[in-house]
């Protein structure tokens, strides 16, 4: 059964024209200089269409999303710059009026590059807006994504003194890293989500990873992760939602879930039920004002810094498409066929509260 989408953006890959998007500002009268949907391979990262933009205009591309106050969101898009004429600003991205990315004069890559940022919603309706400045050159834009970012509770984490439930961990406790050694926890965040009343329940419901889905002892018992929580496999990080197969990795119809965030001195992979999973990657935009949430003390990152942080500080490359994901899916399928996954086909109902991390 297909996994429900967790992306809040309508038509994120421009497969249906500009459905859900609003174009504003000024456009050129020259056809080649306008913004629009294109099927040229240079403008398409995935699927059959992407967004093309030419020079000699300043315009905006926006979409208003239904968000949850205090929720942190991962924001990403793919950009292919094949001519950069800008000297006074190329592209900016804002979320809820706050500028997150400011590309002044990007390199001409002639290949799609992933840009990421994280921001916290301060309203129930938040506008995601791209501004293409005059003159921006020529580029393709594709696969825009906005999705909740979080960890959760009830999972056992490997520590220096043995495994411990994530809810029992405290700042200063030393956790074991997937690559060896132990490091102290610097911050722990917690939040409670009632999935059925969330604007997009599929965006917050946990994914269940069956025992041994990634190989013997990985994980040792069923593990629940939030949709965008990445696991470390083949030296890359892959958000678990991209590996869903309906059997060993599937989304649960949870009603209520308690999510946790664990931050270390630097981004790394810890062992959750024996499976390497990423720790919290701080971008400075951490604020959880809702009751039951722990506010992060760090100041906000300067504009544009968040999109470069994962590349600079991430423990491994983040992958959301391409060969690494296909290899991981094939490996999961092989392990499922081999009968080492501990799948339970008799599970039909789930408790009202799911505790994950």
């Amino acid at each position: 059964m297909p996994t429900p989408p967790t992306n809040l953006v309508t038509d994120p890959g421009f497969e249906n024209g500009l459905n859900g998007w609003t174009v504003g500002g000024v456009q050129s009268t020259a056809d080649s200089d306008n913004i629009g949907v294109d099927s040229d391979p240079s403008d398409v990262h995935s699927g059959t269409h992407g967004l093309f933009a030419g020079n000699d205009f300043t315009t905006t591309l926006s979409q208003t999303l239904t968000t949850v106050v205090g929720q942190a969101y991962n924001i990403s898009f793919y950009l292919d710059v094949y001519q950069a004429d800008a000297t006074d600003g190329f592209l900016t991205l804002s979320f809820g009026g706050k500028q997150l990315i400011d590309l002044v004069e990007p390199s001409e890559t002639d290949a799609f590059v992933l840009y990421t940022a994280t921001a916290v919603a301060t309203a129930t309706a938040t506008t995601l807006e791209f501004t293409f400045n005059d003159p921006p050159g020529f580029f393709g834009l594709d696969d825009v994504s906005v999705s909740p970012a979080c960890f959760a509770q009830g999972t056992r984490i490997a520590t220096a003194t043995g495994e411990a439930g994530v809810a029992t961990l405290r700042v200063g406790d030393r956790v074991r890293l997937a690559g060896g050694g132990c490091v102290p926890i610097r911050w722990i965040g917690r939040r409670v989500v009632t999935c059925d009343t969330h604007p997009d329940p599929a965006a917050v419901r946990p994914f269940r990873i069956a025992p041994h889905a990634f190989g013997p002892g990985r994980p040792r018992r069923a593990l629940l992760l939030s949709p965008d929580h990445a696991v470390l496999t083949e030296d890359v990080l892959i958000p678990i939602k991209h590996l869903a197969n309906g059997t060993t990795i599937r989304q649960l119809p949870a009603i209520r879930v308690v999510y946790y965030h664990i931050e270390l001195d630097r981004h790394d992979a810890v062992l959750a039920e024996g499976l390497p999973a990423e720790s919290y990657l701080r971008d400075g935009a951490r604020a959880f004002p809702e009751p039951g949430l722990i506010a992060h003390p760090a100041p906000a990152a300067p504009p544009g810094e968040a999109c470069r942080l994962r590349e600079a500080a991430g423990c491994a490359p983040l992958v959301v498409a391409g060969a690494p994901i296909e290899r991981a899916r094939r490996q999961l399928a092989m392990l499922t066929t081999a009968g080492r996954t501990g799948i339970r086909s008799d599970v039909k109902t789930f408790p009202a509260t799911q505790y994950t991390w």
Side-chain angles (χ1 to χ4, degrees), residues 53-79:
N55 64 357
D56 295 334
F57 70 88
T58 297
T59 192
T60 60
L61 180 71
S62 63
Q63 189 169 139
T64 299
L65 311 174
T66 300
T67 52
V68 176
V69 175
Q71 165 74 54
Y73 290 90
N74 286 330
I75 304 163
S76 64
F77 62 92
Y78 283 85
L79 185 70

Side-chain angles (χ1 to χ4, degrees), residues 107-323:
S107 301
E108 296 177 2
T109 57
D110 200 25
F112 277 97
V113 175
L114 173 65
Y115 291 85
T116 65
T118 303
V120 175
T122 58
T124 56
T126 303
T127 299
L128 177 75
E129 182 174 83
F130 293 92
T131 299
F132 312 119
N133 295 307
D134 176 22
F138 296 90
F139 63 89
L141 177 72
D142 206 357
D143 293 336
V144 182
S145 177
V146 178
S147 57
C150 50
F151 303 154
Q153 169 184 332
T155 296
R156 294 179 299 187
I157 306 296
T159 73
T161 57
E163 289 192 328
V166 67
T168 70
L169 295 176
R170 298 292 182 267
V171 172
D173 288 349
R174 296 176 65 81
V175 294
R176 292 193 178 277
L177 302 179
C182 297
V183 296
I185 296 173
R186 294 307 185 192
W187 173 78
I188 299 175
R190 172 185 177 274
R191 66 192 180 93
V192 179
V193 179
T194 303
C195 301
D196 286 355
T197 59
H198 189 276
D200 183 4
V204 293
R205 284 178 172 147
F207 280 77
R208 179 187 187 270
I209 307 173
H212 319 299
F214 287 85
R218 297 190 305 147
R220 281 188 288 274
R221 67 170 189 164
L223 171 64
L224 304 182
L225 296 178
S226 66
D228 287 283
H229 198 150
V231 296
L232 181 65
T233 179
E234 293 190 350
D235 299 320
V236 297
L237 289 167
I238 302 177
I240 196 61
K241 67 183 181 183
H242 294 299
L243 297 177
N245 56 17
T247 53
T248 61
I249 301 177
R250 57 196 174 102
Q251 195 164 38
L252 302 183
I255 297 174
R256 185 172 180 267
V257 61
V258 182
Y259 282 122
Y260 279 74
H261 307 260
I262 298 176
E263 184 182 15
L264 312 175
D265 280 332
R266 62 182 182 182
H267 190 235
D268 215 316
V270 299
L271 296 171
E273 304 293 353
L275 181 69
E278 68 172 339
S279 64
Y280 196 54
L281 178 58
R282 186 176 80 184
D283 68 358
R286 302 298 183 244
F288 302 117
E290 293 181 336
L293 305 184
I294 303 174
H296 198 287
E305 181 178 325
C307 69
R308 297 184 290 270
L309 180 65
R310 183 169 283 275
E311 180 178 354
C315 67
L318 179 71
V319 175
V320 297

